Amino acid sequence: DNGDTSTMLSAGIGLHVENLAPFLMQQWTEITQKEYQCGFLKEMQEDMKAKNPAAVGMMSGMATGVRGLAFSLFSLTVDSQTEPGDMPMPKELDAMMSLSAENPMALFQTASAMLPQLAAMNLSADGTPVALPLPFPLPFTPMAAIKGSHLTIYAGPKGEQAAKNLGNIALD
């Protein structure tokens, strides 16, 4: 391992999910109560009144403690031998996705209650990787592991190393 983690593509977002619903509710209230003269803004306001963000509050309750999402793509090889009309499938993938949270195991358990295929996984908080069950076959096995405050899904050697490195990164 030379520690090379150069990526083709990386993206991430940091957030406090428990702050999302109050923020959206405040913005919604301000937009729906203000008096607009502009026709476009009046129309937008009517659309907003029909879409109460209270549902976001209920959903964010299931994701309490989430601090961010990240994705890194190190390499990808797509199978070019597909039939016309078929979706090209990855032949090789080296990537990592992570969900950072105060208690990633609790989030996994919540998701497992809603998705039976996840309930069959023996994911543990000790960082041991397990195969991720997928509804379709791939020529590689995506793995899932909890690394410190991070629920990770990865494939390939750089993805695995990136997931391991997350175990040393604390949430701030």
Side-chain angles (χ1 to χ4, degrees):
D1 173 37
N2 62 8
D4 178 21
T5 56
S6 58
T7 60
M8 294 174 61
L9 172 72
S10 286
I13 184 169
L15 61 122
H16 285 248
V17 167
E18 52 273 3
N19 294 341
L20 187 61
F23 170 78
L24 291 175
M25 197 65 192
Q26 177 187 357
Q27 299 307 308
W28 181 82
T29 300
E30 288 179 19
I31 290 171
T32 57
Q33 291 181 355
K34 193 169 189 164
E35 290 190 32
Y36 294 105
Q37 303 301 316
C38 169
F40 173 77
L41 293 176
K42 284 182 178 181
E43 185 178 327
M44 177 203 63
Q45 185 179 48
E46 291 303 314
D47 287 345
M48 292 289 290
K49 284 180 180 178
K51 298 174 183 146
N52 189 317
V56 173
M58 291 188 300
M59 289 183 57
S60 68
M62 291 188 288
T64 298
V66 169
R67 295 293 179 255
L69 296 165
F71 173 76
S72 293
L73 176 64
F74 302 102
S75 69
L76 171 65
T77 305
V78 177
D79 186 359
S80 60
Q81 303 298 318
T82 58
E83 296 293 321
D86 284 351
M87 184 171 154
M89 293 297 287
K91 191 162 57 171
E92 293 179 14
L93 176 68
D94 201 345
M96 191 265 313
M97 291 188 312
S98 67
L99 173 73
S100 301
E102 291 176 355
N103 188 346
M105 181 54 84
L107 291 174
F108 176 76
Q109 291 168 340
T110 299
S112 295
M114 294 180 271
L115 300 167
Q117 62 270 35
L118 294 181
M121 292 176 57
N122 289 324
L123 192 63
S124 67
D126 69 2
T128 304
V130 296
L132 182 68
L134 295 175
F136 50 86
L138 290 173
F140 53 86
T141 303
M143 303 298 285
I146 293 178
K147 302 292 186 178
S149 298
H150 311 276
L151 173 58
T152 63
I153 298 172
Y154 62 87
K158 289 182 182 180
E160 180 178 12
Q161 187 60 50
K164 285 180 183 177
N165 292 344
L166 280 178
N168 301 321
I169 299 175
L171 298 179
D172 291 331

